[in-house]
Amino acid sequence: MSTAHASPGDYSQVPNPEQALKYAIQHIAGDRVEIVEGVITPVSPSWAHETAVDLIREQIGPRMRELGLRAGSGNLDLPGTENFYVPDLAVVPAELAKTEGALLPDQTVLVVEVTSPSNGDTDRTSKRRRYSQFGAPVYLLVDRQERTCTLFSRPGRLGYTRVEGPHPFGTPLQLPPPLDLELDTAGF
């Protein structure tokens, strides 16, 4: 016997589950959430976390303006996967910053993730791997639990091919072109 309708709770007939899930999380009232390897995760950073992000934004701001870049924590989609990220900071060309929808990691100049006790392993492993697979040219990991910074660049399908660090907080960190500036990490 064939039925025309799926039973309640059976979502196997959803035309594109990936798109439906990504659409749904963007319409959750009052909360920002991301999807990491299929797990919906709320984004609610602490003041210490936000301070590290703000210190980076302050330092790269003048250079970004010179280059016509903007920074924010807008959505990054990883099509074909169950991942939809809200990075702590992404630097993108100004014209792309006007986009209402999500951008792709390869459209960024720099992606920054700052670890929290609840998501450190995600930022260290899953996101690092996925950002590389999807072509984010530079990934800066500010690991607040380890008190280190690691700069990943030259993305490839199997991971970043250039890794600088981990460097203890307080060690100046040279960001590659086009930003091409030294980042003071002492206040992280």
Side-chain angles (χ1 to χ4, degrees), residues 37-63:
E37 302 304 324
V39 177
I40 298 173
T41 308
V43 178
S44 54
S46 68
W47 279 104
H49 183 279
E50 286 297 297
T51 295
V53 173
D54 192 49
L55 289 169
I56 294 168
R57 189 187 300 252
E58 283 178 2
Q59 291 181 64
I60 66 175
R63 183 70 177 137

Short mmCIF file of all heavy atoms in Angstrom, two decimals, residues 37-63:
data_model
loop_
_atom_site.label_atom_id
_atom_site.label_comp_id
_atom_site.label_asym_id
_atom_site.label_seq_id
_atom_site.Cartn_x
_atom_site.Cartn_y
_atom_site.Cartn_z
N GLU A 37 29.00 20.40 11.67
CA GLU A 37 28.91 18.97 11.42
C GLU A 37 27.53 18.41 11.79
O GLU A 37 27.40 17.37 12.41
CB GLU A 37 30.03 18.21 12.16
CG GLU A 37 31.43 18.64 11.78
CD GLU A 37 31.74 18.55 10.29
OE1 GLU A 37 31.26 17.62 9.63
OE2 GLU A 37 32.48 19.42 9.79
N GLY A 38 26.49 19.18 11.43
CA GLY A 38 25.12 18.74 11.62
C GLY A 38 24.52 19.05 12.98
O GLY A 38 23.35 18.77 13.21
N VAL A 39 25.29 19.64 13.89
CA VAL A 39 24.80 19.96 15.23
C VAL A 39 24.51 21.45 15.31
O VAL A 39 25.38 22.29 15.06
CB VAL A 39 25.83 19.56 16.31
CG1 VAL A 39 25.36 19.95 17.69
CG2 VAL A 39 26.13 18.07 16.24
N ILE A 40 23.26 21.79 15.67
CA ILE A 40 22.87 23.19 15.82
C ILE A 40 23.43 23.68 17.15
O ILE A 40 23.18 23.10 18.21
CB ILE A 40 21.35 23.35 15.78
CG1 ILE A 40 20.83 22.89 14.41
CG2 ILE A 40 20.95 24.79 16.06
CD1 ILE A 40 19.32 22.84 14.30
N THR A 41 24.20 24.78 17.09
CA THR A 41 24.91 25.30 18.25
C THR A 41 24.60 26.78 18.43
O THR A 41 24.79 27.56 17.49
CB THR A 41 26.43 25.12 18.05
OG1 THR A 41 26.70 23.77 17.70
CG2 THR A 41 27.20 25.50 19.28
N PRO A 42 24.14 27.20 19.62
CA PRO A 42 23.93 28.64 19.84
C PRO A 42 25.26 29.38 19.91
O PRO A 42 26.26 28.83 20.35
CB PRO A 42 23.20 28.69 21.19
CG PRO A 42 23.50 27.39 21.85
CD PRO A 42 23.81 26.40 20.78
N VAL A 43 25.25 30.62 19.44
CA VAL A 43 26.43 31.47 19.47
C VAL A 43 26.17 32.54 20.53
O VAL A 43 25.36 33.43 20.32
CB VAL A 43 26.68 32.11 18.09
CG1 VAL A 43 27.88 33.03 18.14
CG2 VAL A 43 26.85 31.04 17.03
N SER A 44 26.85 32.41 21.67
CA SER A 44 26.68 33.39 22.75
C SER A 44 28.01 33.63 23.45
O SER A 44 28.29 33.07 24.50
CB SER A 44 25.61 32.92 23.74
OG SER A 44 25.94 31.62 24.22
N PRO A 45 28.87 34.46 22.84
CA PRO A 45 30.21 34.67 23.37
C PRO A 45 30.22 35.48 24.67
O PRO A 45 29.35 36.31 24.92
CB PRO A 45 30.92 35.43 22.26
CG PRO A 45 29.86 35.99 21.40
CD PRO A 45 28.62 35.17 21.60
N SER A 46 31.26 35.23 25.48
CA SER A 46 31.46 35.96 26.73
C SER A 46 32.14 37.30 26.45
O SER A 46 32.60 37.57 25.34
CB SER A 46 32.34 35.13 27.67
OG SER A 46 33.65 35.05 27.13
N TRP A 47 32.24 38.12 27.48
CA TRP A 47 32.93 39.41 27.33
C TRP A 47 34.40 39.21 27.00
O TRP A 47 34.96 39.92 26.17
CB TRP A 47 32.78 40.25 28.60
CG TRP A 47 31.45 40.94 28.62
CD1 TRP A 47 30.36 40.59 29.36
CD2 TRP A 47 31.07 42.07 27.85
NE1 TRP A 47 29.32 41.44 29.08
CE2 TRP A 47 29.73 42.37 28.16
CE3 TRP A 47 31.72 42.87 26.92
CZ2 TRP A 47 29.04 43.43 27.59
CZ3 TRP A 47 31.04 43.93 26.34
CH2 TRP A 47 29.71 44.19 26.68
N ALA A 48 35.06 38.24 27.64
CA ALA A 48 36.48 37.99 27.36
C ALA A 48 36.67 37.57 25.90
O ALA A 48 37.62 38.00 25.23
CB ALA A 48 37.02 36.92 28.30
N HIS A 49 35.77 36.76 25.43
CA HIS A 49 35.78 36.31 24.03
C HIS A 49 35.64 37.51 23.10
O HIS A 49 36.41 37.69 22.15
CB HIS A 49 34.62 35.33 23.86
CG HIS A 49 34.50 34.71 22.53
ND1 HIS A 49 33.91 35.34 21.47
CD2 HIS A 49 34.89 33.49 22.08
CE1 HIS A 49 33.92 34.55 20.42
NE2 HIS A 49 34.51 33.41 20.76
N GLU A 50 34.65 38.34 23.36
CA GLU A 50 34.39 39.51 22.53
C GLU A 50 35.53 40.53 22.59
O GLU A 50 35.79 41.23 21.62
CB GLU A 50 33.07 40.18 22.93
CG GLU A 50 31.86 39.39 22.48
CD GLU A 50 31.77 39.29 20.97
OE1 GLU A 50 31.63 40.33 20.29
OE2 GLU A 50 31.86 38.16 20.46
N THR A 51 36.21 40.60 23.73
CA THR A 51 37.35 41.51 23.86
C THR A 51 38.45 41.12 22.89
O THR A 51 39.04 41.97 22.21
CB THR A 51 37.87 41.53 25.30
OG1 THR A 51 36.85 42.08 26.14
CG2 THR A 51 39.14 42.36 25.44
N ALA A 52 38.76 39.83 22.79
CA ALA A 52 39.78 39.38 21.84
C ALA A 52 39.39 39.75 20.41
O ALA A 52 40.23 40.25 19.64
CB ALA A 52 40.00 37.88 21.98
N VAL A 53 38.14 39.53 20.06
CA VAL A 53 37.66 39.87 18.71
C VAL A 53 37.78 41.37 18.47
O VAL A 53 38.25 41.82 17.42
CB VAL A 53 36.21 39.39 18.50
CG1 VAL A 53 35.66 39.89 17.17
CG2 VAL A 53 36.11 37.88 18.60
N ASP A 54 37.39 42.16 19.46
CA ASP A 54 37.44 43.62 19.34
C ASP A 54 38.87 44.12 19.18
O ASP A 54 39.13 45.04 18.39
CB ASP A 54 36.76 44.27 20.55
CG ASP A 54 36.51 45.74 20.34
OD1 ASP A 54 35.97 46.12 19.27
OD2 ASP A 54 36.86 46.54 21.24
N LEU A 55 39.81 43.53 19.92
CA LEU A 55 41.22 43.94 19.79
C LEU A 55 41.76 43.66 18.39
O LEU A 55 42.53 44.45 17.85
CB LEU A 55 42.07 43.23 20.85
CG LEU A 55 41.86 43.71 22.29
CD1 LEU A 55 42.54 42.77 23.28
CD2 LEU A 55 42.35 45.14 22.45
N ILE A 56 41.35 42.55 17.81
CA ILE A 56 41.77 42.25 16.44
C ILE A 56 41.15 43.26 15.47
O ILE A 56 41.84 43.82 14.61
CB ILE A 56 41.38 40.81 16.05
CG1 ILE A 56 42.17 39.81 16.89
CG2 ILE A 56 41.59 40.57 14.54
CD1 ILE A 56 41.67 38.38 16.80
N ARG A 57 39.87 43.50 15.63
CA ARG A 57 39.16 44.44 14.75
C ARG A 57 39.80 45.84 14.81
O ARG A 57 39.99 46.48 13.78
CB ARG A 57 37.69 44.51 15.14
CG ARG A 57 36.84 45.29 14.16
CD ARG A 57 35.43 45.47 14.67
NE ARG A 57 34.76 44.22 14.91
CZ ARG A 57 33.76 43.74 14.16
NH1 ARG A 57 33.36 44.40 13.11
NH2 ARG A 57 33.19 42.61 14.47
N GLU A 58 40.14 46.29 16.02
CA GLU A 58 40.79 47.61 16.17
C GLU A 58 42.13 47.66 15.43
O GLU A 58 42.44 48.66 14.78
CB GLU A 58 41.04 47.92 17.64
CG GLU A 58 39.83 48.35 18.40
CD GLU A 58 40.14 48.60 19.88
OE1 GLU A 58 41.32 48.47 20.30
OE2 GLU A 58 39.20 48.92 20.62
N GLN A 59 42.91 46.60 15.54
CA GLN A 59 44.25 46.60 14.94
C GLN A 59 44.22 46.52 13.42
O GLN A 59 45.05 47.13 12.75
CB GLN A 59 45.08 45.44 15.49
CG GLN A 59 45.43 45.62 16.96
CD GLN A 59 46.28 44.46 17.44
OE1 GLN A 59 47.39 44.26 16.97
NE2 GLN A 59 45.73 43.68 18.37
N ILE A 60 43.29 45.76 12.87
CA ILE A 60 43.26 45.61 11.41
C ILE A 60 42.40 46.66 10.73
O ILE A 60 42.45 46.80 9.52
CB ILE A 60 42.81 44.19 11.00
CG1 ILE A 60 41.36 43.93 11.40
CG2 ILE A 60 43.75 43.13 11.56
CD1 ILE A 60 40.81 42.59 10.90
N GLY A 61 41.63 47.44 11.52
CA GLY A 61 40.71 48.43 10.95
C GLY A 61 41.32 49.40 9.97
O GLY A 61 40.81 49.54 8.85
N PRO A 62 42.40 50.11 10.34
CA PRO A 62 42.97 51.07 9.38
C PRO A 62 43.42 50.41 8.07
O PRO A 62 43.18 50.94 6.98
CB PRO A 62 44.16 51.65 10.14
CG PRO A 62 43.80 51.48 11.59
CD PRO A 62 43.04 50.18 11.65
N ARG A 63 44.03 49.24 8.16
CA ARG A 63 44.49 48.55 6.95
C ARG A 63 43.31 48.07 6.10
O ARG A 63 43.34 48.13 4.88
CB ARG A 63 45.39 47.37 7.35
CG ARG A 63 45.97 46.64 6.18
CD ARG A 63 47.03 47.48 5.45
NE ARG A 63 47.60 46.67 4.37
CZ ARG A 63 47.83 47.13 3.16
NH1 ARG A 63 47.61 48.38 2.87
NH2 ARG A 63 48.33 46.33 2.24
#
